[in-house]
C-alpha cells in the first residue's frame, strides 16, 4: 500500500492482521514507526469494538474480551524494530519466534517498508527509490522463503500527494 502521511496505512494493515487472526491465521505485525503499545491498543480496539480512547479506562473488560476472542483465533505477535533495521533482522526475529513459540507464521505485516534498509547492498539512505527497490525485493524473497503472506506500505512524499498522476 502507498499513501500520504496520516492516510491510515498502519490502521489498514492492523485491520488486515486482525481479520487474518480472527480467521485462524497466525502472524507477525512488525512496526518500525509506532510503539508496540499503540499498535496493541488499536488492535484491542478492533477486536473488542471499543473506541481506542476507552481501552485504558476498561482494561479488565478489554482483557476478558480479547482472551475470549483469542480462544477461537490465531496468534498475532507484535514487534517493534528500530528504523534502519534490515531484512536479516526481520528474518532473525521470525526464526527466533518459530523456535521459541513453535509456530509457523502465516503472514507478516511490515509497518513500513521505507524505514527498513537493504541487507544485501549498501545504498545511501537519501536514494529512496533505489533503497526501497532493494528492500521490497528482499521482503518479497523473505516471504517466499518463509512461505507467508506479506503486506507492507510506503509513504508518499508531500509532492506526490498533490499529483494528479502518480509515477515512481
Amino acid at each position: 500500500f502507498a499513501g500520504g502521511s496520516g492516510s491510515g496505512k498502519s490502521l489498514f494493515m492492523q485491520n488486515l492482521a486482525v481479520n487474518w487472526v480472527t480467521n485462524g491465521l497466525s502472524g507477525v505485525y512488525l512496526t518500525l514507526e509506532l510503539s508496540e503499545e499503540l499498535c496493541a491498543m488499536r488492535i484491542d480496539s478492533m477486536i473488542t469494538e471499543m473506541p481506542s480512547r476507552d481501552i485504558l479506562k476498561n482494561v479488565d473488560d478489554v482483557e476478558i474480551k480479547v482472551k475470549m476472542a483469542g480462544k477461537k483465533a490465531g496468534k498475532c505477535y507484535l514487534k517493534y524494530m528500530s528504523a534502519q533495521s534490515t531484512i536479516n533482522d526481520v528474518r532473525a526475529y521470525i526464526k527466533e519466534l518459530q523456535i521459541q513459540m513453535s509456530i509457523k507464521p502465516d503472514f507478516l505485516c511490515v509497518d513500513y517498508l521505507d524505514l527498513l534498509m537493504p541487507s544485501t547492498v549498501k545504498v545511501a539512505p537519501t536514494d529512496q527509490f533505489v533503497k526501497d527497490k532493494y528492500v521490497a525485493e528482499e521482503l518479497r524473497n523473505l516471504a517466499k522463503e518463509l512461505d507467508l503472506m506479506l503486506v507492507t506500505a510506503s509513504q508518499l512524499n508531500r509532492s506526490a500527494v498533490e499529483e494528479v498522476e502518480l509515477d515512481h
Side-chain angles (χ1 to χ4, degrees), residues 66-101:
V66 169
K67 282 184 178 177
M68 293 302 292
K71 290 185 181 211
K72 53 187 175 205
K75 302 281 185 213
C76 184
Y77 298 91
L78 293 176
K79 175 66 176 171
Y80 172 83
M81 284 189 177
S82 61
Q84 310 303 311
S85 294
T86 68
I87 303 305
N88 286 338
D89 298 322
V90 176
R91 178 182 287 109
Y93 172 73
I94 293 174
K95 293 290 187 183
E96 181 181 328
L97 186 69
Q98 288 175 317
I99 292 167
Q100 290 181 351
M101 306 305 279

Side-chain angles (χ1 to χ4, degrees), residues 27-75:
V28 174
Y29 187 91
L30 179 69
T31 175
L32 292 108
E33 181 181 39
L34 304 173
S35 70
E36 287 178 6
E37 292 79 12
L38 178 58
C39 291
M41 185 174 65
R42 287 176 168 184
I43 288 171
D44 287 350
S45 175
M46 291 174 198
I47 291 169
T48 62
E49 297 180 0
M50 187 181 294
S52 295
R53 67 181 174 275
D54 295 341
I55 294 292
L56 294 177
K57 295 176 198 170
N58 301 296
V59 173
D60 293 336
D61 291 342
V62 170
E63 182 181 12
I64 291 167
K65 287 181 180 181
V66 169
K67 282 184 178 177
M68 293 302 292
K71 290 185 181 211
K72 53 187 175 205
K75 302 281 185 213

